[in-house]
Amino acid sequence: MDRGRYQGDGIGLVDDKGRVAIPAALRATLAANAPKADGKTGGTIVIGAHQKNPCLVAYDPLYLDILAAQLDKREAEHVGPDGEFDYNIKRAAASGEAVPFDGSGRFIMPAFPRFYAGIGEHAFFYGVLDYIEIWDPKTLIETDGIPRVVKAMAAFHMQQKGIAL
């Protein structure tokens, strides 16, 4: 199956139970990549901690095989003189929890990933082709090394909602 690529961005309001809706531009690709077997609307999204940044990654279940292949390659390229590979390569990327989303894109963000990323009332979603990043907008803007345009997207969406950062 050919996977669609995740492009798009948006802000989601996170309620007190952790429910949030995936922005429409990203939801359409996710639904196509991870349809429900019974043909009903919605599907499955995997939510986990980003390997490097203080945010989350979200992807369809089929991406797991792609991620595993990338990590296998990285392990093979980082073998020490004793023949051991760096076990932290997969540890850093292994977190993830599959959760259902409904036809409107709503899902319950798992508690630990939400805590890890510091996501409060708002979640900024950003498609990075193979997966989606989910950020606390303020954390994103304050994180070094993030492209200026991505920070501007988060600020723009918050401004559109009338929310000061």
Side-chain angles (χ1 to χ4, degrees):
M1 172 177 134
D2 289 330
R3 293 179 66 251
R5 299 291 185 149
Y6 298 105
Q7 285 188 293
D9 53 271
I11 290 283
L13 180 64
V14 183
D15 72 12
D16 58 345
K17 294 182 181 177
R19 289 180 297 220
V20 63
I22 304 159
L26 298 166
R27 181 172 63 240
T29 303
L30 183 60
N33 286 350
K36 282 189 172 180
D38 61 10
K40 293 183 179 178
T41 59
T44 300
I45 186 170
V46 180
I47 306 289
H50 191 279
Q51 295 177 49
K52 180 178 179 181
N53 295 124
C55 69
L56 304 180
V57 291
Y59 48 86
D60 56 273
L62 293 177
Y63 179 68
L64 192 56
D65 289 335
I66 296 167
L67 178 60
Q70 291 171 346
L71 295 171
D72 287 344
K73 183 175 186 256
R74 194 178 308 156
E75 270 185 347
E77 293 170 349
H78 292 89
V79 176
D82 61 356
E84 290 286 320
F85 56 83
D86 182 351
Y87 293 98
N88 286 328
I89 289 172
K90 286 187 180 168
R91 283 182 186 132
S95 75
E97 184 174 337
V99 295
F101 65 92
D102 65 19
S104 64
R106 288 179 58 87
F107 70 96
I108 297 174
M109 196 176 302
F112 174 74
R114 184 176 175 200
F115 167 81
Y116 171 80
I119 295 173
E121 292 182 28
H122 299 93
F124 175 69
F125 291 77
Y126 182 64
V128 290
L129 302 177
D130 291 329
Y131 55 88
I132 301 163
E133 290 183 348
I134 307 173
W135 287 84
D136 168 70
K138 187 174 187 306
T139 301
L140 169 68
I141 291 168
E142 293 173 351
T143 299
D144 291 335
I146 302 298
R148 185 173 160 232
V149 67
V150 179
K151 292 180 180 194
M153 286 178 200
F156 170 80
H157 285 293
M158 293 298 279
Q159 182 181 13
Q160 292 292 303
K161 300 272 186 193
I163 302 163
L165 289 172

